[in-house]
Amino acid sequence: MLLSVDRTSETGTQSLSFEIIAAIAEREGVDTTEIEPPEYEALYDVLNPEALDALFAPCQDGTQRSTGRVKFSYCGYDVVVTSDGDVNIDD
């Protein structure tokens, strides 16, 4: 069970929460479907993926939200997500 939904077909872009899963999977050398308990902690145990996606999503009128970033630890990595959609993973 993938713990973050890939909404690429719905929106044309992947959600930030899925980008985090994909970045961790790439770092670990595994498929995104393998980033799940018990081998890996669940993203929703660290933060609310839907809230993160909504935090940087455009406003209802289509305007961009203000700039910012969120930093947290996940699966032993320091993760920084920015309002422009960048996901950075550091050891």
Side-chain angles (χ1 to χ4, degrees):
M1 174 176 126
L2 189 58
L3 301 174
S4 181
V5 178
D6 179 5
R7 301 191 187 284
T8 304
S9 60
E10 294 175 19
T11 63
T13 60
Q14 290 180 337
S15 67
L16 283 174
S17 56
F18 187 82
E19 290 288 342
I20 294 165
I21 298 291
I24 295 293
E26 182 178 326
R27 249 334 179 39
E28 293 287 307
V30 298
D31 189 78
T32 56
T33 58
E34 295 180 47
I35 304 296
E36 63 180 40
E39 292 82 19
Y40 297 92
E41 65 186 310
L43 182 58
Y44 58 78
D45 284 342
V46 176
L47 58 78
N48 181 323
E50 290 82 16
L52 177 68
D53 294 340
L55 180 64
F56 295 131
C59 297
Q60 287 184 344
D61 65 4
T63 59
Q64 292 296 316
R65 299 209 186 256
S66 61
T67 60
R69 68 185 190 134
V70 174
K71 182 178 180 179
F72 58 95
S73 294
Y74 175 58
C75 292
Y77 296 98
D78 290 327
V79 179
V80 178
V81 179
T82 63
S83 57
D84 60 1
D86 287 337
V87 175
N88 296 305
I89 309 292
D90 293 319
D91 294 330

